[in-house]
Amino acid sequence: VCSSDLSYQRIVGMGQVAVPLILTRLAEEGDEPDHWFWALKAITGADPVPDDARGDVVRMAHAWMEWGRANGYTHGADHDAR
């Protein structure tokens, strides 16, 4: 996923309604998540990824999925591998 890609920008333009969809996608992608982090940060204004997880896309995805559960965007277990 590239932040300059028109489809990606359209998803960001969907706003809050896209957040659960993106988080579900991250969970489904498991050990190879796409780079949705910029979109999530742009939409929500949040950045739940700890400094020591930056660059580790699996841990970054996990941080966002945890954030999504804590903020009512998703429910249940995710499918990531730590």
Side-chain angles (χ1 to χ4, degrees), residues 5-57:
D5 181 75
L6 184 57
S7 297
Y8 188 81
Q9 291 177 7
R10 286 182 177 149
I11 291 168
V12 171
M14 291 172 62
Q16 295 292 323
V17 71
V19 174
L21 303 173
I22 295 170
L23 293 172
T24 297
R25 181 70 180 258
L26 283 175
E28 291 172 352
E29 293 169 343
D31 290 344
E32 297 182 18
D34 281 334
H35 293 259
W36 288 105
F37 315 113
W38 179 88
L40 287 165
K41 186 174 180 180
I43 294 168
T44 66
D47 188 6
V49 178
D51 287 341
D52 68 336
R54 298 197 187 283
D56 181 337
V57 293

